[in-house]
Amino acid sequence: MSKSIEVNNLNVYYGDFLAVEGVNIDIQPRSVTAFIGPSGCGKSTFLRTLNRMHEVIPGARVEGEVLLDGKDLYGAGVDPVLVRRQVGMVFQRPNPFPTMSIRENVLAGVKLNNRRMSKSDADELVEKSLRGANLWNEVKDRLDRPGSGLSGGQQQRLCIARAIAVSPEVILMDEPCSALDPISTFAIEELISELKNDYTVVIVTHNMQQASRVSDKTAFFNIAGTGKPGKLIEYNDTATIFTTPSVQATEDYVSGRFG
């Protein structure tokens, strides 16, 4: 199911502005990779290029290659909608569809992809996805109630259930815990550790402890100054990045001297 991602010489633009420059990275299947770095260094922008969400912004574009198991997501004739089905995204703020029930929220992506399914298949998928997001036991008796009635942490897990219902190979998470309390954060972190058994997981986080707890590999992004492009400075096993990084800027950042 889960797939590797290989990025070659990726430049990311907003109009004429070069936001992220020259990224080369190999992301392993069935692992958790964390992107860290100061605000404005391009890590969320780069994350969004991995499922072609970046280009929904007018004037935004990329140069270079993003290969999912060897196939270029930006190749001629590649359907971005299909890319987003293979590479799911969970955003910073939980965003269940407010007018939809919990059940409808889980099935929203599947319906968007025009998959017809019987009620029993749909019920099975809802249960499987909610179990996969560690939410089933909390909501199984109120599936027809609005998703917006859940707590913030539950809403975020509902969004994860919605992402996994379409059977992606990769799950991207853009600061998935920044709007959550510590208990909900712990629940999401536990879940991330379980998700890597089936998916390739990439997470942007501002929380150093979180990166060191949940990720196998860590990529440090930095920026030379306002108006300059973000760059990937160092990428290695998480333990190495946090104990013996090879670049001084990485050490300064993870030890809290700037950022």
Side-chain angles (χ1 to χ4, degrees):
M1 266 267 287
S2 97
K3 301 209 167 163
S4 64
I5 301 171
E6 183 189 333
V7 177
N8 298 316
N9 301 320
L10 198 76
N11 293 325
V12 189
Y13 291 88
Y14 291 101
D16 294 331
F17 174 62
L18 178 58
V20 182
E21 182 176 29
V23 177
N24 292 284
I25 193 169
D26 283 338
I27 295 169
Q28 306 301 312
R30 294 187 188 232
S31 68
V32 179
T33 301
F35 294 171
I36 63 169
S39 291
C41 68
K43 53 194 186 297
S44 291
T45 294
F46 174 60
L47 185 79
R48 287 197 295 272
T49 67
L50 300 179
N51 76 340
R52 296 187 58 169
M53 285 291 289
H54 174 66
E55 69 201 47
V56 301
I57 299 161
R61 62 190 169 86
V62 309
E63 294 167 351
E65 288 184 323
V66 178
L67 305 176
L68 184 65
D69 259 17
K71 292 195 185 71
D72 187 3
L73 300 183
Y74 289 90
V78 174
D79 180 357
V81 176
L82 196 61
V83 169
R84 291 174 205 137
R85 191 158 75 202
Q86 290 176 292
V87 185
M89 173 77 92
V90 176
F91 296 94
Q92 188 170 359
R93 300 214 162 262
N95 59 348
F97 299 116
T99 58
M100 290 187 184
S101 68
I102 292 168
R103 183 177 190 277
E104 289 166 339
N105 260 288
V106 176
L107 295 171
V110 182
K111 296 229 164 100
L112 204 63
N113 292 314
N114 295 323
R115 267 177 54 201
R116 297 240 170 266
M117 51 170 66
S118 66
K119 183 173 186 311
S120 62
D121 283 351
D123 289 344
E124 201 174 301
L125 181 62
V126 167
E127 178 171 348
K128 183 173 163 231
S129 304
L130 288 168
R131 280 191 188 282
N134 282 346
L135 190 57
W136 174 250
N137 289 335
E138 292 162 58
V139 302
K140 62 178 192 281
D141 300 322
R142 46 175 172 160
L143 294 175
D144 294 324
R145 296 212 197 132
S148 51
L150 298 172
S151 73
Q154 289 173 324
Q155 287 187 25
Q156 193 61 298
R157 281 180 286 148
L158 178 59
C159 294
I160 293 169
R162 185 173 73 197
I164 60 185
V166 296
S167 307
E169 281 132 10
V170 180
I171 299 176
L172 310 176
M173 298 187 174
D174 191 358
E175 295 190 53
C177 305
S178 66
L180 305 180
D181 62 84
I183 290 170
S184 301
T185 295
F186 178 71
I188 300 285
E189 288 183 5
E190 293 265 276
L191 176 54
I192 289 169
S193 301
E194 287 169 32
L195 289 172
K196 76 171 180 185
N197 295 321
D198 297 305
Y199 308 97
T200 304
V201 181
V202 186
I203 164 176
V204 167
T205 180
H206 273 292
N207 182 326
M208 295 301 104
Q209 289 75 28
Q210 182 169 75
S212 61
R213 281 193 299 263
V214 305
S215 69
D216 302 293
K217 289 200 152 195
T218 295
F220 170 61
F221 288 80
N222 202 4
I223 189 165
T226 310
K228 298 269 198 275
K231 293 185 176 181
L232 173 59
I233 304 300
E234 189 169 357
Y235 175 53
N236 212 325
D237 294 335
T238 295
T240 305
I241 291 283
F242 280 93
T243 54
T244 50
S246 56
V247 180
Q248 185 62 45
T250 312
E251 188 172 321
D252 289 347
Y253 184 74
V254 298
S255 63
R257 281 198 279 276
F258 83 98

